Amino acid sequence: VQLQASGGGLVQAGGSLRLSCAASGRTFSGYAMGWFRQAPGKEREFVAGISWSGDSTEYADSVKGRFTISRDNAKNTVYLQMNSLKPEDTAVYYCTADRTPYSDFKRRQDEYDYWGRGTQVTVSS
């Protein structure tokens, strides 16, 4: 089972990026997925989560109104659209997946079972 995050890069403040997370080795269409991030010297934190169906989503307060999580179950892929980026959004972003079928979104790291390697997002001021 692999989760491969992509789409990170360097962007100026106010810009946008879209992260993608492609799953392989099994289908994740029936499982909750999420995004976390870890900035240098800080603990990894929750960014966004999405239920298995895509009907329910949850966001960290720091990204509400700017980030949107979505999924395409046919492609076994989850996305994170990031708009109005700020320097404080700079971090390595990780996608993650639950293994409990038909689950709602999760906020805690220990509720997820599979993790990707991460993609670097750098926002310059």
Side-chain angles (χ1 to χ4, degrees):
V1 177
Q2 285 190 324
L3 297 175
Q4 182 63 54
S6 61
L10 174 64
V11 64
Q12 289 189 331
S16 299
L17 283 173
R18 188 176 84 152
L19 305 183
S20 299
C21 177
S24 61
R26 59 169 280 185
T27 178
F28 282 96
S29 60
Y31 303 85
M33 298 187 73
W35 288 94
F36 285 72
R37 66 186 181 186
Q38 186 167 20
K42 296 187 176 181
E43 294 187 351
R44 191 158 56 183
E45 64 176 3
F46 171 78
V47 175
I50 189 166
S51 65
W52 71 275
S53 64
D55 289 343
S56 299
T57 57
E58 177 75 346
Y59 298 92
D61 288 344
S62 59
V63 306
K64 276 182 183 176
R66 299 188 298 122
F67 290 11
T68 302
I69 188 171
S70 62
R71 65 191 300 160
D72 184 338
N73 285 338
K75 295 182 178 179
N76 225 19
T77 301
V78 66
Y79 304 97
L80 186 68
Q81 178 66 44
M82 305 186 296
N83 298 329
S84 302
L85 283 161
K86 305 175 181 180
E88 50 264 44
D89 294 318
T90 295
V92 176
Y93 284 71
Y94 299 89
C95 65
T96 184
D98 185 20
R99 64 179 178 186
T100 303
Y102 308 118
S103 54
D104 204 349
F105 56 78
K106 310 292 176 63
R107 290 187 65 99
R108 299 201 327 254
Q109 296 183 57
D110 61 1
E111 294 181 296
Y112 289 97
D113 301 289
Y114 304 103
W115 292 82
R117 291 182 62 181
T119 184
Q120 176 71 47
V121 172
T122 303
V123 185
S124 63
S125 57

